Amino acid sequence: MSRNLSVSCSPEEAWAALAPVLAGQPRVRLSKDAGKSYPQKHERNLTEALPSVPAAVRIFGKDGTCAAIFLDFDSSVAGRDCVQADVRAVQIWLHSVGARWIEDYSPNGGRHVYVPLAQRVTFSEARDLVEALGTRYRTLDKTPHQNLLHGCMRTPGSPHKRGGYQELAMSLSMAYDIVRRPNGPTVWAAMTNDLAAEIKAVRALRMEETFTPGSSDAPATNQPAGRMSRTMQVLAQTGLYDTNRYATDSDARQAVIVGAAAAGLQLVDVERRMLQGTWPGLASFYARYAARHRLPALRRDWMNALTYLSKNPANGDRNNSVRRSPTSQPNTQALGVKGSNQIPNPDAEHRFIRTWRSALRIREVNYHESRTGMARRMVLRALGEAAHMTASRFIEFGVRSIAVATGLDHTTVGLHLRELRAEKDPLVTLVEQARGTKGDLYMLTVPEELKAAAEDATWQKGKIHALRPVFRELGLPAAFVYEALENSPGLSTTEVVAATRLSRSAVHEALDVLAAWNLINRDAGRVWSVVAGTSLKQLAEHFGVLEAVAAQIQRYRNDRIIWREWLAKNVTTVTELLSPDDDYPWEIFEGPPDDWSLSDMAFGRAG
C-alpha cells in the first residue's frame, strides 16, 4: 500500500474511525509538553473526539493482550530514506504472509504501520514478534511493544509535536475496512512461522542479558508472610521475568501465585488485581485460555500454591506479622525544657496541634502557587502529621523521613526547612541541631500575629495529610485539590481555586487529572465531589508508586548504615558530631488503609 494523495480525510475523521479500534484498551495518554512525553497521570478515557494535543493510545489492555501490532519507524535513526526503504520491505513481507495493514506518516518523516488482529495476542507473543522484526529493519522502534504498562503510540489523526497530524497514507474507507475485517489466526501463524528463527534468536539474546526490573532476587516462596517480594510484584505488573529463572510464562505465573499466597493475600485479591488492570502482566499469562476459562485456571493455580505452601511451611510462615514493629520509637521531647522528664499533657498537645493547623491554613496564602511554595506547604503538613502521630509539638525526625513523607529529595527538604525556620514569625522552630544519630529537634509554633485568629478558627475535621502515595504520580496540585474536596464536597471550580490558593490553570489541570482517574466527578450543578468508591491505595498500586517509595526507603537505609559505621569507627562521643538527619527506622509494610499517607511509612504508623 502506498500513500494515496488523491483521497484525504480530516484528522477528526481518522481519529474517530481508527483510534478506538486499534487501541488495546479505551485509554489515551496526552502530551502536555508538545510531544516530548506521555505520562501516566495524563491518561484519559479514549473517545472519538480528537484531542487538541499529541495523543497516544494504549497498546495493551488490562488483560495483557493487544488488538493490533504497532510498528513505529523512526526517521531520527537513519533518516527518511531509510524509513521508506524499511516500510516498503515490511509491506512486501506482510503481503507475502497474507496480512492486511494500515499505514500513516508523520510530518517529520516517521511512519507507522498497524496490523489489526482478529484474535488478541499476549504481551510476550507481541513483544517477540516486534523484536524479531527489529532484527531485520534498522529504523523500527521496538520499545512500544516492550512495555506492558506504558506502551503507547499515536494513531492516525493525532496532532504531532511539530505541528500537523498523523496522516493516513491510504483512503479512510480502505483503512476502516481493514480494522473491521482484521487479520485472522492463520495470518498470525504465518507471521510467526516466517519469523521463527528471529524469534528464537531474540529469546536466546534475552537469556544472555542481565535482568533488573526489581531489586530483590529472593524467590516468592522465600518471602516472609505478609509481604510479596518486589520482584514478584514487578513481574505481576509488567510480565517481565528472568528467563534463566523461569523457563516459561507458566512457570513465572505460578511463582507470582505462590508469592501472593505466601504473603497472605486472598484469591479474591489476586482476581481483583487482574480484572482491574493492576497486574496486567499476570493477566497476560492467562490470556492463552479462552476468557471463560481464565479465572478457573487461576483458581487451580491458587489451590496448587496452597498445597505447595502447606508442604513447605518454612517458605511461607517465617514471619507471622504483616507489619513489623519499628526497632525503636521516635524521640519526642517533653514540653518546655530540654531533658525534662515531664510528660506532655495529651489533651493540651492535641488542642495546640489543632490550633497550629488553623494557623497553617491562614499562613498558606503566603506560599504562592509555584512548585517551591507547594513543596513547603507539604513539608509543613508532614511536620503536622508527625506531631499528631507522636501527640507532641516537638518533632525529632530527620530530613530523610520527611522526604519519604513528602515525596521530595532529602536535600530539597533540608533547604525548605532552613527557609521555613528563617521566616519572620515562623510556624516551625529549630530547638536543637542534629548530633550523632539524633535528628534535628523541631517545635511547632503558633506565631503571635496568628494566635488570636487561629484560636478562634473552627478546627478542621479529620487528619492532616502529607503526601499520599498516589499523588507522587498525579502531582502536588492534584493532592491539594483532592484535599480541598475531601474537606468541603460540592465546590465549584472557582471555589476550589479559592480553597487551594492555586492558580486557575493549575486547578483546571488537577481537576482534569483527578476526573480522568475517577477520583472526583462533577454533577449537573457543575460542582465537584470526591468519588468515594475509588481507592487511593489501589490506584497507587496500579501506578507502581509503592515500588518507588520502597526504593527511596532502601536508599536511605543504606545511607543510615554507612553513617553509623562511620560513627563507630571515628567518633568516641557520638553526640559531638552532626548526623545526616537520618534517625528513624523506616518500616515497609503491605496493605495500608485508604487514608494512609507517605508519612505513615516514614514515621512508622500503619493506621
Side-chain angles (χ1 to χ4, degrees):
M1 278 174 205
S2 61
R3 173 179 168 185
N4 188 340
L5 296 176
S6 63
V7 181
S8 62
C9 65
S10 70
E12 291 80 7
E13 291 173 326
W15 177 270
L18 302 176
V21 189
L22 293 172
Q25 60 176 294
R27 301 286 285 177
V28 60
R29 293 190 180 179
L30 307 181
S31 177
K32 297 300 182 70
D33 55 5
K36 295 178 182 177
S37 64
Y38 297 83
Q40 190 172 17
K41 75 174 183 177
H42 291 316
E43 188 171 299
R44 304 285 188 272
N45 288 331
L46 174 60
T47 67
E48 293 183 357
L50 179 66
S52 60
V53 296
V57 303
R58 291 283 302 274
I59 293 177
F60 294 99
K62 293 181 179 180
D63 61 353
T65 66
C66 61
I69 299 299
F70 289 63
L71 303 179
D72 180 10
F73 294 89
D74 189 353
S75 61
S76 67
V77 174
R80 296 189 179 204
D81 291 343
C82 192
V83 164
Q84 291 185 8
D86 282 351
V87 170
R88 181 58 180 164
V90 165
Q91 291 173 342
I92 294 172
W93 175 74
L94 288 172
H95 180 74
S96 71
V97 294
R100 307 169 77 220
W101 67 93
I102 298 168
E103 181 190 346
D104 69 10
Y105 58 93
S106 306
N108 66 350
R111 287 185 177 244
H112 296 165
V113 174
Y114 313 89
V115 186
L117 302 171
Q119 184 172 310
R120 297 171 71 102
V121 297
T122 68
F123 167 65
S124 297
E125 292 171 326
R127 179 183 56 165
D128 285 346
L129 184 134
V130 173
E131 288 183 351
L133 283 175
T135 65
R136 293 185 178 182
Y137 310 113
R138 178 184 177 188
T139 63
L140 177 60
D141 181 4
K142 304 180 289 293
T143 55
H145 273 279
Q146 291 176 319
N147 196 315
L148 178 56
L149 295 176
H150 303 294
C152 57
M153 204 162 88
R154 294 188 312 278
T155 52
S158 169
H160 192 269
K161 63 183 178 180
R162 293 191 178 182
Y165 301 88
Q166 291 292 133
E167 295 191 34
L168 279 171
M170 58 203 307
S171 70
L172 179 58
S173 60
M174 182 181 295
Y176 190 70
D177 178 69
I178 292 171
V179 295
R180 299 308 298 171
R181 295 190 298 120
N183 297 286
T186 56
V187 173
W188 176 258
M191 293 167 65
T192 54
N193 288 338
D194 190 76
L195 289 169
E198 288 91 340
I199 290 175
K200 182 178 180 180
V202 296
R203 287 175 177 171
L205 179 63
R206 203 175 297 140
M207 294 183 68
E208 299 297 324
E209 295 174 345
T210 302
F211 181 76
T212 56
S215 63
S216 173
D217 291 326
T221 53
N222 287 335
Q223 297 309 305
R227 182 180 303 167
M228 279 186 73
S229 75
R230 292 176 60 194
T231 295
M232 289 300 102
Q233 294 181 52
V234 171
L235 199 165
Q237 290 173 340
T238 67
L240 300 174
Y241 56 87
D242 187 347
T243 53
N244 289 303
R245 187 172 183 183
Y246 306 114
T248 65
D249 288 358
S250 296
D251 293 340
R253 88 181 189 208
Q254 190 62 51
V256 174
I257 299 303
V258 173
L265 273 67
Q266 301 299 313
L267 175 59
V268 66
D269 298 322
V270 178
E271 290 176 339
R272 174 183 61 77
R273 285 167 167 80
M274 285 178 53
L275 294 175
Q276 293 182 351
T278 303
W279 284 358
L282 180 62
S284 73
F285 297 149
Y286 289 93
R288 68 185 182 91
Y289 297 104
R292 67 182 183 277
H293 296 313
R294 290 172 189 172
L295 289 182
L298 169 63
R299 295 185 185 108
R300 288 195 300 272
D301 288 346
W302 185 262
M303 297 308 298
N304 291 337
L306 295 180
T307 300
Y308 172 83
L309 291 173
S310 67
K311 294 179 180 179
N312 299 271
N315 288 330
D317 298 327
R318 295 195 309 155
N319 185 346
N320 291 323
S321 175
V322 173
R323 297 182 177 94
R324 293 179 296 170
S325 300
T327 56
S328 63
Q329 293 299 319
N331 182 10
T332 56
Q333 295 282 345
L335 294 179
V337 183
K338 171 187 171 184
S340 169
N341 292 323
Q342 178 185 353
I343 299 175
N345 182 317
D347 290 336
E349 287 299 277
H350 174 76
R351 290 193 296 271
F352 176 87
I353 295 168
R354 288 284 181 176
T355 301
W356 180 85
R357 287 178 56 181
S358 297
L360 172 60
R361 290 205 311 275
I362 298 170
R363 175 62 65 81
E364 276 188 327
V365 70
N366 295 342
Y367 300 109
H368 48 79
E369 63 269 13
S370 70
R371 185 165 183 82
T372 297
M374 287 189 286
R376 288 182 187 168
R377 291 168 68 178
M378 199 56 72
V379 169
L380 289 168
R381 274 169 164 71
L383 293 173
E385 189 166 8
H388 270 301
M389 291 176 182
T390 58
S392 172
R393 73 189 72 181
F394 291 90
I395 304 150
E396 191 180 81
F397 293 116
V399 294
R400 285 167 173 77
S401 287
I402 298 173
V404 174
T406 57
L408 302 171
D409 182 77
H410 68 280
T411 57
T412 304
V413 170
L415 174 63
H416 289 317
L417 284 171
R418 286 193 294 273
E419 294 295 328
L420 286 169
R421 69 196 188 211
E423 291 178 350
K424 180 183 179 182
D425 295 326
L427 287 165
V428 59
T429 303
L430 179 64
V431 177
E432 184 179 75
Q433 288 189 336
R435 290 185 177 275
T437 60
K438 301 298 182 183
D440 287 333
L441 178 62
Y442 284 96
M443 180 180 69
L444 302 185
T445 305
V446 178
E448 285 297 327
E449 64 174 11
L450 300 179
K451 185 168 293 185
E455 290 175 348
D456 291 341
T458 301
W459 287 349
Q460 193 172 49
K461 295 180 180 180
K463 65 182 291 187
I464 184 172
H465 288 292
L467 193 69
R468 284 171 283 191
V470 68
F471 294 111
R472 279 199 175 201
E473 177 67 25
L474 300 183
L476 290 177
F480 288 118
V481 169
Y482 188 85
E483 178 187 72
L485 293 173
E486 275 185 313
N487 295 330
S488 303
L491 298 179
S492 67
T493 301
T494 299
E495 290 169 332
V496 173
V497 171
T500 59
R501 300 177 174 88
L502 300 176
S503 69
R504 180 169 286 272
S505 61
V507 168
H508 272 292
E509 180 170 325
L511 290 170
D512 286 345
V513 168
L514 293 170
W517 292 102
N518 199 37
L519 288 169
I520 62 173
N521 60 18
R522 185 157 62 170
D523 63 18
R526 302 187 67 79
V527 297
W528 297 94
S529 298
V530 168
V531 177
T534 303
S535 168
L536 295 180
K537 183 188 73 173
Q538 291 177 16
L539 193 54
E541 184 180 3
H542 175 79
F543 287 150
V545 172
L546 300 186
E547 291 302 306
V549 177
Q552 184 180 19
I553 289 176
Q554 186 59 53
R555 187 168 68 252
Y556 291 162
R557 275 203 181 112
N558 294 339
D559 290 348
R560 184 167 177 252
I561 291 170
I562 293 170
W563 174 249
R564 289 185 181 277
E565 288 178 349
W566 187 90
L567 286 175
K569 292 178 181 178
N570 298 281
V571 182
T572 55
T573 305
V574 169
T575 57
E576 292 180 356
L577 288 181
L578 294 176
S579 79
D581 299 307
D582 182 12
D583 184 52
Y584 197 74
W586 293 280
E587 183 61 19
I588 299 177
F589 48 80
E590 301 293 336
D594 267 350
D595 66 348
W596 173 73
S597 76
L598 292 174
S599 292
D600 292 304
M601 180 175 282
F603 304 140
R605 186 177 70 86

